[in-house]
Amino acid sequence: MRKVEVFRALHRNRLPDDPLVLPGPWDAISARVCQEAGFPALATPSAGIAAALGHEDGSTPADEMFAAVARICGAVEIPVSADVEGGYGLAPKELVERLLEAGAVGCNLEDSRQGVLKDPREQAEWLAEVRYAAGDQLFVNARVDIFSYGDGDPERAIERAALYVAAGADCVYPIGAPAGVLPLLRSGIQGPVNVFGRLDGEGPSPTELGELGATRVTFGPGLQRRMARQLRESADRLQR
């Protein structure tokens, strides 16, 4: 079975209390650690990779991002989905080719640009082109940024999600959605739903998110930031 087929299968028939948990490695060693911990697949965070490369979130050059994704994919045997932000202005065919060359089996694509929501129908048309170029070789996770940069209306999130699913998205990611609206989103969205999980103990656990409607849980740069805090604490102790 191809890695992309393994990745797709991981999203099917999930029990409510058992969402697919995908940690976010930012380099080869963090990817290997996640694989050794027993995770079945990984989802790279664009913000985490940006920080590791010395860039601000959203400012990583495309070549550097794809090179980082390739190093992560090459370091592990499990499937890797890559957050490639808004696609870096690449034509769908080139975007797909670069993802496949890097070894990714999936991608996360945002529907905002520099904090401004894109027109949902134009975004859906672009996603359809990505889907056509990718065929069955990529698992497409379409981000819905209503809760980050819009008015936070769940109905509008569902409307955008419906357009993206109709365009061929395999999964929808209403990033930043409050836990309280997840059941509504789950009831209105066809197919898998990606939910953002927190590692600071402030939000619901992955199991609780699954019970609220998450098919899969990702953490963005949360794992890297947690490791950075621990590193700072260790460095402080060394100086005492």
Side-chain angles (χ1 to χ4, degrees):
M1 187 180 293
R2 294 179 302 162
K3 283 186 180 180
V4 65
E5 293 167 346
V6 172
F7 193 64
R8 280 205 175 88
L10 288 170
H11 292 77
R12 300 190 191 113
N13 304 316
R14 305 297 309 192
L15 296 175
D17 62 349
D18 184 33
L20 175 61
V21 176
L22 299 174
W26 56 94
D27 59 12
I29 185 60
S30 60
R32 291 194 190 104
V33 168
C34 290
Q35 177 177 261
E36 291 167 3
F39 289 98
L42 307 172
T44 68
S46 60
I49 289 177
L53 296 175
H55 299 294
E56 294 294 325
D57 184 20
S59 65
T60 307
D63 288 348
E64 291 189 41
M65 182 62 73
F66 286 111
V69 170
R71 287 191 291 272
I72 290 169
C73 292
V76 296
E77 298 177 358
I78 56 179
V80 177
S81 180
D83 181 351
V84 287
E85 304 177 286
Y88 307 109
L90 300 174
K93 185 174 184 294
E94 183 179 0
L95 176 63
V96 168
E97 288 174 349
R98 299 198 67 172
L99 282 162
L100 295 176
E101 287 171 0
V105 303
C107 60
N108 182 65
L109 298 170
E110 302 171 2
D111 74 340
S112 63
R113 181 184 297 109
Q114 297 180 337
V116 178
L117 288 172
K118 298 176 182 177
D119 178 273
R121 296 192 180 279
E122 291 179 1
Q123 177 71 357
E125 292 175 1
W126 183 73
L127 287 171
E129 294 177 13
V130 173
R131 173 82 284 154
Y132 179 78
D136 65 352
Q137 297 182 85
L138 287 176
F139 186 99
V140 177
N141 188 40
R143 212 172 86 172
V144 174
D145 288 353
I146 281 286
F147 299 99
S148 298
Y149 305 118
D151 60 8
D153 184 344
E155 294 298 337
R156 293 195 183 187
I158 291 171
E159 290 170 2
R160 294 175 86 93
L163 288 171
Y164 302 162
V165 170
D170 298 287
C171 185
V172 175
Y173 183 12
I175 188 170
V181 305
L182 291 179
L184 175 60
L185 295 177
R186 173 66 284 172
S187 68
I189 295 175
Q190 299 296 315
V193 176
N194 189 151
V195 173
F196 178 77
R198 298 181 62 169
L199 293 171
D200 56 8
E202 295 296 321
S205 68
T207 295
E208 291 168 334
L209 290 174
E211 292 170 344
L212 290 169
T215 308
R216 78 183 206 182
V217 179
T218 54
F219 306 92
L223 183 60
Q224 184 203 51
R225 290 173 181 173
R226 184 172 181 175
M227 294 296 293
R229 286 194 298 271
Q230 293 174 344
L231 180 59
R232 282 194 294 270
E233 291 169 1
S234 296
D236 289 341
R237 286 195 294 271
L238 288 173
Q239 292 180 342
R240 291 173 189 165

